[in-house]
Amino acid sequence: MNAIISASELASALAGENPPVVLDVRWQLSVAKAAGEPSFDGRAAYASGHVPGAVYVDLDRELAGASGAGGRHPLPDLAEFGAAMRRAGVSAARPVVAYDGGQGWAAARAWWLLHWTGHPDVRVLDGGLTAWQGELSIDVPARTEGDFEPRPGAGLLDADAAAALARSGVLFDARAGERYRGEVEPIDRVGGHIPGAVSAPTTDNVGPDGRFLPVEHLRDRFRSLGASDGREVGVYCGSGVSGAHEVLALAVAGIPAALYVGSWSEWSSDPSRPVAVGPDPR
């Protein structure tokens, strides 16, 4: 099943016999707090207008655990995640579509978590809310409790597994190239990358409109970076959000990949872990 859905396909699905549960996951990575500026308010953005019937999901509180030794966006407690998804109306027999403001990272985090925990039919709105051509609603829909029970599967890496995969397969670093090279690091303790990881910025998976590039373009890109011949593939980023978007891009290209959720925010927090800098993976 395709991991993404177009705006026109979503409109048709919402008018169908088994409309999807739609999750509004608007969120932005922000360093505004350091400058004393207010951070992005996804709930306020939702209240100002959303896809009709969509339910707001808070990435920081419902799709991640508390920031700490496990990184800025570690896995949420699975019981709490399951309860949040049921409150949003998620059931195993009903499709789910997640969207955000257009960048796709937050929606991909919801997609990855639901996919990893066993939901059989979850997709991301390609291009996000900016691609939606229908009217927006300010009404908060009545929620019917869902029955989704998370059952984790394969596709999750910890720090040791990520380090091993960088040697035995291919580990993509989805952050911007300058952070990979260690030239700048606006958030974490130290700049650089996991030794052996390959730079593959997730921004290169989409066009100017935020929609994914054609499947063949994505497939060719990842193959050129080493994801070929049945090699095991993994992804990390800063805190497991943009990395989920890269896993989604790989899924669109037909390439299964695992996610290191702790990502650089966890890796770099431990001074004993090695750090590579510059353009060379090692």
Side-chain angles (χ1 to χ4, degrees), residues 19-257:
V21 173
V22 181
L23 307 179
D24 183 314
V25 203
R26 273 179 279 182
W27 170 90
Q28 289 180 10
L29 176 65
S30 175
V31 294
K33 290 181 181 179
E37 300 173 7
S39 58
F40 175 78
D41 188 340
R43 192 174 294 279
Y46 169 83
S48 68
H50 49 265
V51 172
V55 176
Y56 179 70
V57 172
D58 189 315
L59 185 148
D60 290 317
R61 293 179 175 83
E62 297 174 308
L63 304 182
S67 176
R72 283 190 307 279
H73 292 104
L75 285 176
D77 176 88
L78 288 184
E80 294 178 4
F81 169 68
M85 292 298 97
R86 290 190 294 275
R87 286 195 303 272
V90 175
S91 293
R94 190 174 174 189
V96 177
V97 174
Y99 73 85
D100 54 30
Q103 190 177 40
W105 295 2
R109 173 71 175 222
W111 167 85
W112 182 83
L113 273 168
L114 284 165
H115 180 74
W116 175 63
T117 53
H119 197 285
D121 188 354
V122 54
R123 288 179 283 178
V124 166
L125 175 59
D126 195 18
L129 188 62
T130 57
W132 178 252
Q133 298 298 308
E135 294 183 357
L136 297 180
S137 172
I138 60 171
D139 297 331
V140 177
R143 304 184 189 185
T144 300
E145 186 85 3
D147 63 12
F148 179 69
E149 293 287 347
R151 294 180 174 84
L156 177 67
L157 301 172
D158 60 14
D160 290 340
L165 185 56
R167 297 188 297 268
S168 64
V170 57
L171 180 66
F172 288 137
D173 184 317
R175 298 172 300 159
E178 58 267 26
R179 292 185 70 189
Y180 170 88
R181 296 187 294 271
E183 297 166 357
V184 298
E185 182 44 64
I187 306 174
D188 294 313
R189 186 185 67 84
V190 64
H193 59 269
I194 296 173
V198 175
S199 180
T202 196
T203 51
D204 291 347
N205 296 323
V206 298
D209 59 0
R211 300 184 195 189
F212 282 104
L213 298 175
V215 171
E216 285 304 319
H217 285 60
L218 291 173
R219 192 171 293 141
D220 289 345
R221 179 190 187 220
F222 291 125
R223 284 175 176 169
S224 72
L225 293 171
S228 60
D229 302 323
R231 297 179 75 189
E232 188 177 356
V233 178
V235 179
Y236 75 95
C237 57
S239 65
V241 179
S242 67
H245 190 267
E246 185 118 302
V247 174
L248 175 60
L250 284 155
V252 172
I255 302 170

